[in-house]
Amino acid sequence: MTKPKEVTIYDLARKLNVSIATVSRALKDDPVVSKKTKKKVFDLAEEMGYRYNHFARNLREQRTYTIGVIVPRLNSYFMSTVIAGIESVANNEGYTLIISQSSESAEKELASAKTMFNNRVDGILVSLAYDTENLNHFSPFFQKNIPLIFFDRVADHPECTSVLIDNRKGAYEATSHLIAQGCRNIVHITATPKRNVYVDRLAGYKQALADHQLPFDEKNVLINNLSQEAGAQAAGAILQMNPLPDAVFAANDNCAVGCMIALKKAGIRIPHDMAFAGFNNDPVSTVIEPNLTTINYPGYKMGEMAAASLINHLNGVNSIDATNTILLRSELIIRASSLKTRSDSE
Amino acid sequence: MTKPKEVTIYDLARKLNVSIATVSRALKDDPVVSKKTKKKVFDLAEEMGYRYNHFARNLREQRTYTIGVIVPRLNSYFMSTVIAGIESVANNEGYTLIISQSSESAEKELASAKTMFNNRVDGILVSLAYDTENLNHFSPFFQKNIPLIFFDRVADHPECTSVLIDNRKGAYEATSHLIAQGCRNIVHITATPKRNVYVDRLAGYKQALADHQLPFDEKNVLINNLSQEAGAQAAGAILQMNPLPDAVFAANDNCAVGCMIALKKAGIRIPHDMAFAGFNNDPVSTVIEPNLTTINYPGYKMGEMAAASLINHLNGVNSIDATNTILLRSELIIRASSLKTRSDSE
DNA sequence: CGAAACAATGTAACCGATTACATTGTTTTT
DNA sequence: AAAAACAATGTAATCGGTTACATTGTTTCG
């Protein structure tokens, strides 16, 4: 209950009969301080239980060594992997994270941005919510020259770097693979065209169709929020189609899985009647039967890249805003859910 | 690149021809300041783009309005759900979170604790790593009277509240259910007995056996890290057993799923040859076939409770350390993986 | 009408670091 | 031996708030 006084550099200085300046320098390992003095300072600090006061420094330096992170949601395998990547880099560089989730709502994203701003983060990493329409809520950051880096769900802005994969290429490969398996009538399940990732995946899907002389039909594109439940609902819509499609390419694995489960329940054989491909390489893709063909998404790496890029920027390295976009490698992982040929012989 | 000067209360005071004290009070909505003055202050603050400086306040008040959270890992459905719960409460009460993951290593947990301590969190929420042996790394918190609340993976300490479910009861129910389904030779897969959750689940398992006059066999308890891969390995061990067990109760769903997949591949029919039960109600439990019987774990609620309890403590409410443990309700969810009787008729 | 009570605002010390500039003491150079 | 160079340390202003205590002005009441 009683608040024991904190030990400060003043206390150390008094005890050692040196000035606070010397103590301050010693603690930062400034080469200008003699080794002997440093040792004395370190030892006494240890002994007295001194702890560094970040606020005093922040107040003085007008920096916080804090990075804000805004994600749509934390409870997805992909996002928590990204955050693990961000954290490892940030911690290594002495930065602290403030993490907030927008819960896919533009409104909460705005509130989070405000909180981050008022907490004076040195920089901010953002993956946009489903229904975010514009970047107005980030303009205070731009005005104050606080670097903002987007990852995964990005937006175009002259002052921002984006870290992402080539979604278009991934979708193109997945779709082409389905076509190579003999599929001709492929449904694509995706989410709001407000987000680049879904726009690009749709574009890749269309491109693949076009390159293989297959017609594109607007009705074959289903839009939902890509949750597992939404996948189950999409299955309902698919079953109404006439003729039935012979493949489904979903913009994420969760949705694909929900859809597969519902279709299987309805008697559809996968991949025999309908081939499946997802996106993200979520662990669930190796649990569903048949295992889901998908696009591997390097989440951890993405987190590392985004954080490293931001911190470099903060440290003045690479401060030229030349880097507009950082593309990470992704790859198609072929599993049973799309192997028509082989599975027929099984 | 140029750093625009921040607006401070001094700037506001000068422009309005009042003292900084008045401005400070006005901004905090102190009733002692006249309404007219307050309005002027608020308007000017808005106009000049003033933003509150937390560090100055923190420096002065010796508080940070920050809560530290240490979890074993973020990329699990359960943990990210808990964190979502923590976040909602903390944000509502004006607290900021610093989240760090120990990656199941005592060493990293120690480092995280140190970081939190040096960042002067007002309080800390902890779920322990696999191999943490003691609480020495938290003693600085105890010494400075910084409240520490454990959740899920807890430890006994006179000054700490714990938030968890009745793991023993959950395990007892799951095991009893398997026994009721006719299983007599049940394997239990769990993790290190350093953690309460695993100790308690093992105890519940044993208790259920004893209450039904079934012998307990040490060889039927497999210890691993409960990952999906570890589950697959456990399957190998199980297949060596003679006679084969007729049921498996795993201490988490991921491990159960890994084990099931491997066993199915080896030709074991679930639940016919071997019934399964898991723990946590991870979404994957409804994807695996057959769907996994499990114990529902209220993660979001747990996060809310832990955060609310901590903040109450910080606000002086409920400061009596009477609350030692908060138990949340959990429940058995029966699915196909354990239904021997019904599944036989299917 | 003057004292007491109160409302509104001001003064100044304080929180704990950083750092430009000044000072002191020691070594090297000429 | 005096001047120059350098190493080590010290002085003091500064960051932007909070708040105990002091001050001023206005109202109330005997």
Side-chain angles (χ1 to χ4, degrees), chain B residues 204-251:
Chain B
Y205 160 79
K206 280 187 186 176
Q207 182 75 49
L209 293 184
D211 286 1
H212 295 84
Q213 286 82 43
L214 290 177
F216 167 71
D217 185 349
E218 196 70 60
K219 294 200 206 74
N220 270 348
V221 177
L222 304 180
I223 306 274
N224 63 32
N225 69 10
L226 295 182
S227 68
Q228 197 168 319
E229 298 74 46
Q233 283 172 12
I238 287 172
L239 289 169
Q240 301 294 316
M241 293 179 171
N242 189 357
L244 284 179
D246 52 11
V248 175
F249 166 43

Side-chain angles (χ1 to χ4, degrees), chain A residues 12-55:
Chain A
L12 301 180
R14 201 175 316 118
K15 263 222 168 116
L16 290 173
N17 245 326
V18 297
S19 73
I20 55 162
T22 299
V23 174
S24 173
R25 292 191 186 107
L27 288 171
K28 312 182 75 184
D29 212 13
D30 191 319
V32 87
V33 178
S34 74
K35 291 223 174 68
K36 219 178 358 175
T37 310
K38 266 188 208 166
K39 175 143 178 39
K40 281 197 298 183
V41 171
F42 277 120
D43 289 351
L44 185 64
E46 178 71 39
E47 183 192 324
M48 296 184 67
Y50 166 82
R51 57 175 179 163
Y52 189 81
N53 189 319
H54 291 259
F55 305 105

Side-chain angles (χ1 to χ4, degrees), chain B residues 269-289:
Chain B
R269 289 164 302 173
I270 298 171
H272 185 277
D273 302 334
M274 222 177 275
F276 257 85
F279 214 106
N280 273 13
N281 196 22
D282 191 288
V284 80
S285 64
T286 63
V287 171
I288 184 76
E289 284 179 46

Side-chain angles (χ1 to χ4, degrees), chain B residues 176-184 275 334 338-342:
Chain B
S176 296
H177 163 69
L178 290 172
I179 295 171
Q181 292 295 309
C183 305
R184 293 291 171 268
I334 297 172
S338 63
L339 289 178
K340 287 225 169 188
T341 43
R342 195 187 305 171

Side-chain angles (χ1 to χ4, degrees), chain A residues 62-121:
Chain A
Q62 306 281 31
R63 286 183 68 177
T64 63
Y65 293 91
T66 299
I67 293 174
V69 181
I70 302 179
V71 296
R73 34 178 32 110
L74 284 168
N75 61 354
S76 94
Y77 176 81
F78 171 66
M79 270 306 165
S80 39
T81 309
V82 175
I83 288 178
I86 293 174
E87 211 213 3
S88 79
V89 171
N91 274 4
N92 256 345
E93 301 285 333
Y95 282 81
T96 301
L97 296 185
I98 297 186
I99 302 172
S100 181
Q101 50 188 338
S102 63
S103 305
E104 300 288 12
S105 132
E107 199 181 338
K108 248 217 96 186
E109 186 174 288
L110 190 154
S112 295
K114 206 171 226 168
T115 303
M116 303 277 169
F117 185 71
N118 288 328
N119 273 293
R120 304 193 182 207
V121 294

Side-chain angles (χ1 to χ4, degrees), chain A residues 221-262:
Chain A
V221 177
L222 305 180
I223 307 273
N224 62 34
N225 69 8
L226 295 182
S227 67
Q228 196 167 320
E229 299 74 47
Q233 284 172 12
I238 288 171
L239 288 169
Q240 302 291 317
M241 293 179 171
N242 188 357
L244 284 179
D246 53 12
V248 175
F249 166 43
N252 88 16
D253 289 345
N254 264 317
C255 178
V257 161
C259 190
M260 285 169 78
I261 292 174

